[in-house]
Structures are given as C-alpha cells and as structure tokens.
C-alpha cells in the first residue's frame, strides 16, 4: 500500500526538510527520491518473503502464536516503564493516562503490533528453513581461518591490549594472548531498583549546600554491606560455588567473565587493584569493591598465559563463526535470487518523491 511507503518516509522527510538550507530544491528532491526507492525496495523484499511463507506453507505452532500475542502486553509494559522513569511522580489513573497518551503518540495499535510479531516469527521460521541447507565448514577451512586470525591478532593485540579485551568480552574467537591475564568473575550486588532510581533523581538535584544525597547513599552502602554482601561472603566461606551465587543474583551471569592484565586501563583503579591483589587462583577479594549503587565481589577463576592459543582451544568457536557466516551468506543469496525471479514493476513517477 502507498500508505506503507509514506509511513517509511515520514522521518526522512522531516530530516531532509531540516537540511533545506544546505541543498538546492533539486538536490533535496533527488535525495528523497533515492530514499523512497530504497524504502520501496525494502517493502518489496518484505512482500516476497510473505509470499514465500505462503508458498512453503509455513505456519506458527500454538505456542508461537501465544508468544506473538504477548507482543502487545510487552509493548504496554515497556511503555509503562519508560513513562514511570520519565515521570516518577505519576501513579494510578494519572500514570495509565500518560501511558495511553504515549502509545497514541507513537501510533501503536494492538492489532498491528501483534501482526508484526507474527510476521517476524514467520520470517524467522522461513530463514531457519533456508539456512538449514548451509554446509558446515571443513576441517581445512577451520585451520585456514585459524592461521589467518592468528596473523591478524598477533599484530593487532601486540599493539593494542584493549582490542584483545574487547574481543574476549564480546565472545569472539581469540587465538593470541598478548600478556598474562586474570580471568575474573564478578558478583555485583546492587541497591534495590527503587532506591537506585530515587538516588539518581536526588543526584540530579544535588547541591553543594545539601548533604542529603551523600548521606542516603552512604546509608545504602552500609545497609548492603551488612546485608547481602555479608551473607554472600558467609556462603562463599562455607564453600558454596561463586558462579552459582552469580546465577542466583542475576540469571545468565554465571558464565560471564572479565579480563584483567597489567596493561588494562578500562577499569576503575579500585576495581583493578582489587582484581590484581587476590592472593591466589580460586580465591575471592577480601573486601568488596564499591561500585555505582552497589558492591562487587571478585573471584579469580582462571589465568590466560601469554602466547598462541592452540587450535583445539578455539576449534568450536571458529567452526561456529564460520558456519554462521555461511548461513548468513546463504540467506542473503537466497533473498537475492527470489528478488530476481519475482516480476516486479515499479512506476517511479507515482512515488511522489
């Protein structure tokens, strides 16, 4: 529908209208025309995917339909959280009225949100069906990728330890370690979310004449140290697993790590000193590290020795990366082929841009 194209163009039109003093009328028209053609091409691609979904008879399971129906509830909750953050003084009917206003301003409608969620789920199933045909990398391809990566990382990481740390934190395959690193796990115990929100609001209004913010902040630190921090330290002293405590505190965090070496500069001085002062591997910091609105206990989980990591250490990660790249390329090529096979007639003179 033309209305779909116009909806895509609203933001672009506003942006280009704000640049009217920098371009001639003809230049602006050309830019809008190019943008409209790109938006139209995206809509065409979308329609082709929907046609392929019908052609292949792809449908959603009852469970997937239920998940799609939840999209509207999630949209409402996300909007409500945003409004509460922006207008913390609102509650009850006033809060709900502001949420409704925000939804209407954004042009959100339940039917459209749920429909978009269904279409997204269907496109994902179509993609899964296509990329399932991708071939897994051979051992030779994995070995070649290893040698190439080693050559690149030896040069890059030797000159920039921050690049090494960034790659490790991002979970990318790393085959060269520039210096010795401590592998640190972090149990971050924070204030209650409501307290944190209150403190952030107080900080924005804090003045040199008032000590209210600092006083409440210190009281919360003391409360946390005597409560959750002391309890965690006691459980660790009794032999409980550090990763399990991390998982209890924040689901999904039990397998996350930080990397600290002599050349690390991205951490606060307190954090760095605490991590580097843990006496032995397998031990926890003797004192918690003060963080913004909380404390962290650090655990020295492992050590990365400097030098080249053997292929077997990164074989699985490299294979996964190569396979994912092959899947993405197959998906891209398949969509391009479908576009070529589809008869599409574009009347540029009817675009209105």
């Amino acid at each position: 529908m033309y209305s779909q194209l116009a909806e895509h163009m609203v933001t672009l039109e506003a942006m280009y209208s704000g640049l009217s003093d920098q371009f001639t009328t003809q230049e602006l028209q050309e830019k809008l025309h190019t943008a409209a053609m790109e938006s139209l091409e995206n809509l065409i691609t979308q329609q082709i995917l929907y046609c392929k979904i019908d052609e292949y008879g792809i449908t959603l399971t009852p469970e997937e339909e239920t998940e799609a129906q939840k999209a509207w509830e999630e949209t409402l909750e996300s909007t409500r959280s945003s409004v509460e953050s922006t207008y913390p003084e609102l509650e009850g009917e006033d809060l709900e009225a502001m949420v409704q206003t925000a939804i209407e301003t954004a042009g959100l409608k339940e039917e459209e949100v749920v429909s978009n969620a269904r279409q997204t789920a269907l496109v994902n199933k179509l993609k899964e069906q296509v990329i399932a045909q991708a071939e897994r990398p051979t051992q030779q391809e994995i070995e070649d990728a290893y040698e190439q990566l080693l050559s690149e990382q030896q040069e890059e990481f030797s000159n920039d330890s921050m690049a090494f740390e960034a790659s490790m934190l991002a979970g990318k395959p790393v085959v060269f370690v520039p210096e010795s690193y401590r592998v640190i796990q972090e149990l971050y115990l924070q204030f209650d979310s409501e307290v944190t929100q209150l403190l952030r609001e107080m900080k924005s209004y804090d003045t040199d004449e008032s000590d209210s913010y600092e006083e409440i902040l210190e009281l919360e630190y003391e409360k946390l140290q005597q409560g959750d921090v002391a309890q965690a330290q006691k459980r660790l002293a009794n032999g409980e697993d550090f990763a399990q405590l991390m998982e209890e505190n924040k689901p999904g965090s039990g397998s996350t790590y930080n990397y600290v070496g002599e050349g690390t500069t991205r951490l606060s001085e307190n954090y760095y000193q605490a991590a580097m002062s843990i006496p032995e591997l397998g031990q926890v910091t003797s004192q918690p590290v003060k963080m913004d609105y909380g404390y962290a206990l650090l655990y020295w989980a492992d050590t990365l020795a400097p030098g080249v990591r053997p292929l077997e250490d990164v074989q699985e990660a490299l294979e996964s990366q190569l396979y994912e790249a092959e899947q993405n390329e197959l998906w891209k090529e398949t969509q391009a082929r479908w576009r070529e096979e589809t008869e599409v007639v574009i009347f540029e003179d009817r675009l209105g841009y």
Side-chain angles (χ1 to χ4, degrees):
M1 301 294 286
Y2 186 85
S3 59
Q4 291 175 274
L5 174 63
E7 184 178 342
H8 277 229
M9 291 296 294
V10 168
T11 302
L12 288 171
E13 282 190 276
M15 180 186 74
Y16 283 124
S17 65
L19 300 173
S20 58
D21 59 334
Q22 301 180 31
F23 299 102
T24 65
T25 301
Q26 182 177 349
E27 288 174 332
L28 283 172
Q29 186 58 41
E30 289 174 353
K31 290 183 178 297
L32 282 171
H33 181 77
T34 299
M37 288 297 292
E38 291 174 353
S39 294
L40 181 59
E41 195 61 41
N42 289 334
L43 288 169
I44 291 169
T45 298
Q46 191 179 73
Q47 290 301 315
I48 291 173
L49 292 177
Y50 295 163
C51 288
K52 290 298 176 181
I53 288 169
D54 291 339
E55 180 182 329
Y56 294 164
I58 297 174
T59 57
L60 298 181
T61 65
E63 292 76 16
E64 290 167 338
E65 287 284 2
T66 300
E67 283 301 311
Q69 294 297 325
K70 291 180 181 178
W72 180 244
E73 297 174 12
E74 292 170 355
T75 299
L76 289 175
E77 186 58 35
S78 175
T79 305
R80 182 175 289 103
S81 296
S82 177
V83 170
E84 287 177 334
S85 176
T86 307
Y87 306 100
E89 73 281 0
L90 294 180
E91 57 184 27
E93 294 183 358
D94 291 337
L95 173 61
E96 294 307 314
M98 183 59 75
V99 170
Q100 187 60 37
T101 299
I103 289 173
E104 292 174 357
T105 301
L108 298 172
K109 297 180 180 179
E110 181 174 359
E111 183 178 351
E112 292 179 0
V113 169
V114 172
S115 176
N116 289 338
R118 290 190 74 260
Q119 293 293 358
T120 298
L122 287 166
V123 169
N124 286 338
K125 294 190 75 171
L126 174 65
K127 180 179 180 179
E128 289 172 4
Q129 186 168 313
V130 170
I131 65 177
Q133 308 304 313
E135 295 183 2
R136 287 195 168 274
T138 65
Q139 183 60 31
Q140 186 59 55
E141 289 172 331
I142 295 173
E143 292 175 4
D144 290 345
Y146 172 83
E147 293 298 332
Q148 176 66 27
L149 197 58
L150 177 58
S151 174
E152 295 171 356
Q153 291 185 350
Q154 278 181 318
E155 180 178 357
E156 181 182 14
F157 294 166
S158 295
N159 298 319
D160 184 4
S161 59
M162 286 281 286
F164 163 79
E165 294 173 25
S167 294
M168 291 296 294
L169 292 170
K172 297 179 179 178
V174 171
V175 300
F176 178 72
V177 183
E179 62 178 82
S180 179
Y181 272 87
R182 291 189 175 193
V183 181
I184 300 294
Q185 287 189 292
E186 171 191 305
L187 175 61
Y188 189 8
L189 301 167
Q190 297 175 279
F191 303 155
D192 291 339
S193 57
E194 295 82 2
V195 172
T196 300
Q197 178 63 32
L198 174 62
L199 285 166
R200 284 174 176 160
E201 292 169 16
M202 291 183 67
K203 187 176 182 180
S204 65
Y205 295 105
D206 190 38
T207 63
D208 294 336
E209 291 76 25
S210 173
D211 296 326
S212 298
Y213 169 75
E214 289 77 9
E215 290 173 355
I216 294 179
L217 183 64
E218 287 307 313
L219 284 173
E220 289 299 324
Y221 274 123
E222 183 179 351
K223 176 183 175 183
L224 185 65
Q225 188 162 17
Q226 294 177 356
D228 291 350
V229 173
Q231 183 180 10
Q233 289 174 319
K234 182 178 180 180
R235 292 177 64 181
L236 289 169
N238 290 334
E240 293 196 41
D241 183 63
F242 194 89
Q244 181 58 41
L245 264 65
M246 290 174 64
E247 198 67 29
E248 288 180 18
N249 182 60
K250 183 180 179 182
S253 68
S255 58
T256 59
Y257 303 91
N258 206 343
Y259 302 89
V260 187
E262 292 292 339
T264 299
T265 59
R266 60 185 170 80
L267 302 170
S268 70
E269 184 63 22
N270 286 342
Y271 192 106
Y272 175 83
Q273 292 297 337
M276 297 301 284
S277 64
I278 301 174
E280 295 182 15
L281 182 69
Q283 292 186 348
V284 181
T285 43
S286 58
Q287 295 297 324
V289 181
K290 182 177 284 190
M291 308 281 281
D292 290 338
Y293 307 118
Y295 281 108
L297 293 173
L298 308 183
Y299 172 71
W300 183 1
D302 199 0
T303 301
L304 291 178
V308 178
R309 302 178 74 187
L311 174 60
E312 52 264 30
D313 283 4
V314 294
Q315 165 97 13
E316 186 177 338
L318 269 177
E319 181 178 2
S320 178
Q321 184 184 65
L322 291 172
Y323 185 49
E324 183 178 348
E326 178 64 24
Q327 289 178 315
N328 290 336
E329 184 61 27
L330 178 58
W331 177 237
K332 182 180 177 181
E333 291 175 353
T334 301
Q335 290 186 86
R337 188 182 75 250
W338 287 341
R339 179 64 176 86
E340 290 178 2
E341 295 171 350
T342 305
E343 182 181 355
V344 179
V345 180
I346 298 176
F347 300 93
E348 290 193 39
D349 58 323
R350 301 185 189 177
L351 282 176
Y353 298 98

